[in-house]
Amino acid sequence: MEFPIATKNSFQNFGLYHKEPYDFAVFSWQSQRNQVSGYYCIYRFVTAAFYLSNVVFCLTTSKHLDYWFIYLSHIGLLLQTLHLLISAAVPIQFLLISQKDSLNNSNLTFLVRFSWFLYNVTNLLSFGISGVFWTGLSVIEREPKNTDFLIHGINSIVTLCDIFISKRPCRILHFHHSLAVFLPYVTFSIIYWAAGGRRENGIPAIYPVLNWDNLTLTIPFVLAGLTVGVFLGHALVWALHLLRDRVLITCTTKDELVDKGHFQIQSNPGFVPDWILS
């Protein structure tokens, strides 16, 4: 049975499919899309090394290491570090593949797909952690720490920079990827509370907004966050990718022609915006 083209495209946009594998290993402004840049590899390794050192510093300076892993912000730090490490491995894998023609939409490597999944997860997670933290919703009952900016500030800065520096695609239908982290963490917070778990200061709630003793606050916050919040947050990330493509089109092209709904890039033929490929 043959599905309509629109239906096939919807399934592909919902999954981890992409027509240009090298978009995961090049700069956003790079005209030669099928060539890994040495500068890009350096950027990836420096970013991964910086974040790895950030994790080591936060762990070694923590005064309550036994409670360190119960916080979503710390889990987000670890996930973003894993994402950056794998992102550094992707261009190296491409360099080791001898036949470039073997890289196409039908056989994206597992490393690329997993890297794309982590990219979708950590983008929203970083902005969410920073937004909730700096609006004060998670620090009402705690004293400021010298690692607050390293954990709740650097994450969003690195994410925002990476969106505009890399050529990685973003699909609006990938909003559900973040639920792979948020749903298990909400479940963990319930189990931790039911088992009598406490924070280092003796408070039963890991975060004030996840206080399961106060269901009138927690349930609406969790339901709104897992439904409307996740979608709107991912839509913001998706919009940033569209802005990136629009800025690059404006900066790298002299003439922009429309032909059957597609843009023909004359001065930079190697560049095609994500929303055209989807």
Side-chain angles (χ1 to χ4, degrees):
M1 178 179 179
E2 290 290 335
F3 290 97
I5 295 178
T7 303
K8 288 183 178 180
N9 290 338
S10 298
F11 280 129
Q12 289 182 352
N13 289 334
F14 193 80
L16 294 172
Y17 298 93
H18 190 60
K19 296 179 181 179
E20 300 290 341
Y22 276 86
D23 284 351
F24 296 90
V26 296
F27 289 115
S28 58
W29 58 83
Q30 190 171 326
S31 59
Q32 296 179 340
R33 296 181 57 140
N34 293 336
Q35 181 176 345
V36 177
S37 169
Y39 292 108
Y40 185 84
C41 294
I42 294 174
Y43 158 69
R44 280 299 177 197
F45 276 95
V46 168
T47 307
F50 167 75
Y51 233 79
L52 187 60
S53 63
N54 189 19
V55 171
V56 173
F57 176 79
C58 292
L59 283 171
T60 55
T61 58
S62 176
K63 298 179 180 179
H64 305 282
L65 192 58
D66 293 341
Y67 298 89
W68 201 86
F69 294 95
I70 70 172
Y71 295 103
L72 182 62
S73 54
H74 297 163
I75 296 174
L77 179 66
L78 295 175
L79 284 175
Q80 192 165 16
T81 303
L82 177 62
H83 154 60
L84 293 173
L85 289 171
I86 293 180
S87 296
V90 168
I92 302 302
Q93 183 187 51
F94 281 18
L95 290 174
L96 295 177
I97 296 177
S98 57
Q99 296 180 351
K100 294 183 179 180
D101 293 338
S102 64
L103 289 172
N104 53 53
N105 181 50
S106 63
N107 65 345
L108 287 179
T109 65
F110 172 79
L111 192 67
V112 174
R113 293 180 187 274
F114 187 50
S115 176
W116 194 3
F117 170 78
L118 289 176
Y119 180 71
N120 293 329
V121 170
T122 56
N123 282 344
L124 178 57
L125 190 60
S126 298
F127 289 141
I129 289 173
S130 297
V132 172
F133 181 85
W134 295 110
T135 54
L137 296 180
S138 63
V139 294
I140 297 176
E141 301 175 3
R142 66 183 288 278
E143 294 294 329
K145 299 178 181 179
N146 57 1
T147 58
D148 282 345
F149 183 72
L150 293 176
I151 297 175
H152 309 93
I154 293 294
N155 56 347
S156 291
I157 294 175
V158 171
T159 295
L160 184 62
C161 291
D162 197 42
I163 288 175
F164 284 90
I165 291 176
S166 70
K167 186 62 185 72
R168 287 170 174 265
C170 181
R171 303 285 181 260
I172 188 64
L173 293 180
H174 285 172
F175 69 91
H176 65 286
H177 289 173
S178 298
L179 295 177
V181 174
F182 288 123
L183 282 176
Y185 186 77
V186 169
T187 303
F188 163 75
S189 70
I190 296 175
I191 297 174
Y192 190 79
W193 165 79
R198 296 290 187 270
R199 286 165 51 183
E200 63 270 18
N201 55 7
I203 297 177
I206 299 178
Y207 293 107
V209 292
L210 288 179
N211 184 2
W212 296 102
D213 287 323
N214 186 6
L215 298 182
T216 57
L217 169 66
T218 302
I219 290 181
F221 177 84
V222 170
L223 291 179
L226 292 179
T227 54
V228 179
V230 167
F231 180 79
L232 291 181
H234 185 76
L236 173 62
V237 174
W238 178 70
L240 288 174
H241 285 77
L242 296 184
L243 175 62
R244 176 197 68 188
D245 292 346
R246 177 54 57 184
V247 170
L248 288 170
I249 289 175
T250 303
C251 295
T252 61
T253 63
K254 297 178 181 178
D255 299 306
E256 196 174 83
L257 302 177
V258 179
D259 180 20
K260 296 180 181 180
H262 293 272
F263 286 89
Q264 295 178 345
I265 311 303
Q266 290 190 343
S267 60
N268 188 2
F271 173 75
V272 181
D274 288 336
W275 55 271
I276 290 179
L277 295 174
S278 60

